[in-house]
Amino acid sequence: MLRLKSRQRSSSPRTRSRFADLVLLIASLSFSFHRYIYTYIYTHTYISTRVLSLLPTPTPTTMLLFSLLLSLLSLSLLLLLRSTARRRGRLPPGNLGLPFIGETLQLISAYKTENPEPFIDDRVARYGPVFTTHLFGEPTVFSADPETNRLILQNEGRLFESSYPGSISNLLGRHSLLLMRGSLHKRMHSLTMSFANNAIIRDHLLLDVDRLVRLNMESWSGRVLLMEEAKKITFQLTVKQLMSFDPCEWTENLMKEYMLVIEGFFTIPLPIFSTTYRRAIKARGKVAEALSLVVRDRRREVEVGERKNDMLAALLDEEGGGGGFSDEEIVDFMLALLVAGYETTSTIMTLAVKFLTEHPLALAQLKDEHEEIRAKRGENEALQWEDYKAMCFTQCVVNETLRVANIISGVFRRAMTDVTIKEGYTIPKGYKVFASLRGVHMDHRHFKDARVFNPWRWQDQQNGLGPTSATNMFNPFGGGPRRCPGAELARVELSVFLHRLVTQFSWKATEQDKVVFFPTTRTQKRYPITIQRLK
């Protein structure tokens, strides 16, 4: 009895106030994740704090009863909010899962395996190719339907707008191409497209790609972690194309910080809860500082009439469509382009080699094609544009790797207004939408034996024999106004990489390595191989 009284006395108003302040702090932080979480915790905490302040010192039993009662009231409010959204229009069928968590854990669990398809397959079988779920803190309409995906991708800025998790937004910066909207996005996207078009690649970039690939491969011997080597190549290529820097100590240090930034993309965007995110934010500051120095130096060079032929020069060139951008806008823009050029292309390089290694007939045909090119060109001569255009089967391998690997699983958007889709369903204004590219690419209804690596399927497309629907449903680089502006450059980099690899080396995988798809697509062991230089 004395112990109980002692506990009661220790629960002073000051202690209760601190407790309430702590819960309110957590509630306000949670708002960035989920509006429903905010409503639930804030209402619960505010009412309980106000009521308890009017009562004598509460007993533990009293506090428990209040908590249970207010939990029921708050959950009722949550269900009311959900039903209100449904009354605005007929949502696609689906399951919102657990309160607040939704089906996020099921998605993550599936995408951490080699076979994430059951998450989509089970729901498509139950509800159809467009269904409602609850992912990463928000109700989400998930589309594995090519027609609906086209509607989402083609109506950027009219019916839908770009929307990504807070961790990605904070690390890339508000001026990154991924997050820009409106006229600024249109201008930057057009500028990027003009710098990575076929003429620029043919006349300038192809030589740099070939030179840097050969430079990196010169040091290869014995056991190689292919994904790490591919990342070195793509990072150096991207830095060269953006800022004209050749490999050096500065680029190596920048790459180390970049790797920390990327690790924070799919974490809780709160430094207090996530050490990975905290490291990523710190690394992002270092990267931004390094890029800012480069931008300031380049501005001084422009003032005295010096000009380089790279993306940064295009951003500063007022006569060529650039100019007028602040240092912050340019830094955010370049930071995001480095991510796009470095992470995705290196993964495609690694998985192309993995798939070819597992399919010897495809590898043999690829080698034959590149041996013919080498016989005409010579081993040490730089590749030319006509060599790239002669890599017909290589493009089949590239397409099939992109289709099966699905480096970009899909894109997030948010509905700007109520949007009516097929079968009369409505996506309510403010709802998150996920256009699943993977869901279409791996669907047997759209691609025969969709889950089998078969580069020959694309030969029919090249010869005009296959159904055109397959090409229309193939969107590895997204679509609409936000289609990846570096799509052709990525193809060139992968094709040159494969040419130099198969004409200079033989290799074998030293360990079984699995491909997983969360938080990003990658091999678990960085794909170790043992290589031998050909004589």
Side-chain angles (χ1 to χ4, degrees), residues 438-450:
R438 182 183 189 89
V440 176
H441 293 163
M442 304 299 278
D443 192 327
H444 297 294
R445 293 172 297 179
H446 308 313
F447 295 91
K448 184 180 179 181
D449 298 323

Side-chain angles (χ1 to χ4, degrees), residues 304-315:
V304 298
E306 295 181 18
R307 191 184 188 281
K308 292 184 172 67
N309 189 23
D310 55 27
M311 189 69 215
L312 179 53
L315 291 170

Side-chain angles (χ1 to χ4, degrees), residues 148-417:
T148 304
N149 285 357
R150 278 195 297 274
L151 175 72
I152 294 168
L153 295 172
Q154 296 295 333
N155 284 280
E156 167 75 27
R158 293 188 292 270
L159 302 178
F160 300 94
E161 61 184 5
S162 178
S163 180
Y164 284 87
S167 54
I168 294 178
S169 303
N170 296 341
L171 290 169
L172 289 183
R174 60 195 178 98
H175 300 298
S176 69
L177 193 61
L178 190 69
L179 303 173
M180 284 180 187
R181 296 173 183 168
S183 59
L184 181 59
H185 172 265
K186 185 177 181 180
R187 182 185 176 196
M188 288 295 229
H189 191 275
S190 177
L191 193 63
T192 309
M193 288 283 289
S194 68
F195 193 76
N197 60 34
N198 283 0
I200 295 291
I201 296 172
R202 180 192 63 215
D203 297 338
H204 301 288
L205 300 182
L206 178 58
L207 290 176
D208 284 332
V209 171
D210 191 27
R211 180 176 62 83
L212 287 173
V213 168
R214 284 188 289 168
L215 179 66
N216 277 273
M217 287 184 174
E218 284 177 1
S219 62
W220 287 14
S221 63
R223 188 175 184 270
V224 169
L225 295 175
L226 189 62
M227 180 162 278
E228 293 302 306
E229 296 300 324
K231 284 183 176 181
K232 290 179 187 177
I233 292 172
T234 56
F235 190 80
Q236 291 172 8
L237 286 170
T238 309
V239 170
K240 179 67 175 178
Q241 292 149 16
L242 288 179
M243 297 173 284
S244 297
F245 280 102
D246 282 318
C248 60
E249 184 179 355
W250 184 85
T251 60
E252 290 179 7
N253 291 333
L254 189 69
M255 179 178 168
K256 291 176 183 176
E257 299 299 334
Y258 243 96
M259 294 176 71
L260 295 176
V261 173
I262 292 172
E263 287 175 4
F265 276 179
F266 292 93
T267 57
I268 298 174
L270 297 171
I272 193 173
F273 291 137
S274 172
T275 55
T276 302
Y277 182 72
R278 189 161 60 246
R279 285 196 303 267
I281 285 291
K282 185 177 179 181
R284 202 263 182 207
K286 292 181 179 179
V287 171
E289 182 180 358
L291 295 180
S292 295
L293 290 174
V294 174
V295 173
R296 288 199 291 271
D297 288 343
R298 189 65 71 84
R299 285 192 190 277
R300 286 192 288 268
E301 292 175 4
V302 171
E303 289 174 359
V304 298
E306 295 181 18
R307 191 184 188 281
K308 292 184 172 67
N309 189 23
D310 55 27
M311 189 69 215
L312 179 53
L315 291 170
L316 297 173
D317 182 12
E318 296 184 7
E319 295 180 0
F325 300 116
S326 67
D327 285 8
E328 181 186 0
E329 287 174 329
I330 293 176
V331 166
D332 284 359
F333 182 72
M334 292 200 303
L335 192 149
L337 285 185
L338 271 169
V339 172
Y342 156 66
E343 181 72 12
T344 56
T345 309
S346 61
T347 304
I348 282 291
M349 287 177 174
T350 304
L351 294 183
V353 175
K354 184 179 190 300
F355 295 155
L356 287 167
T357 305
E358 295 167 351
H359 296 83
L361 290 178
L363 178 58
Q365 185 166 335
L366 184 79
K367 286 182 176 180
D368 290 343
E369 179 172 270
H370 287 281
E371 286 297 339
E372 287 184 17
I373 294 172
R374 186 176 71 161
K376 294 177 183 177
R377 178 64 56 188
E379 183 174 349
N380 296 318
E381 286 190 43
L383 288 171
Q384 302 298 318
W385 186 250
E386 55 267 27
D387 300 323
Y388 169 65
K389 300 304 288 185
M391 299 177 185
C392 297
F393 186 69
T394 303
Q395 296 312 307
C396 296
V397 171
V398 170
N399 281 346
E400 190 68 350
T401 303
L402 289 167
R403 187 192 68 81
V404 175
N406 291 289
I407 303 303
I408 305 300
S409 179
V411 295
F412 281 105
R413 297 289 185 266
R414 191 180 297 280
M416 300 171 65
T417 184

Side-chain angles (χ1 to χ4, degrees), residues 40-78:
Y40 173 80
I41 298 180
Y42 182 85
T43 303
H44 187 293
T45 308
Y46 178 78
I47 294 175
S48 61
T49 304
R50 297 290 292 177
V51 172
L52 290 175
S53 67
L54 300 176
L55 296 176
T57 303
T59 65
T61 303
T62 304
M63 294 183 71
L64 178 61
L65 289 173
F66 265 112
S67 181
L68 291 173
L69 176 62
L70 292 172
S71 293
L72 290 173
L73 290 173
S74 300
L75 286 174
S76 299
L77 176 62
L78 172 61

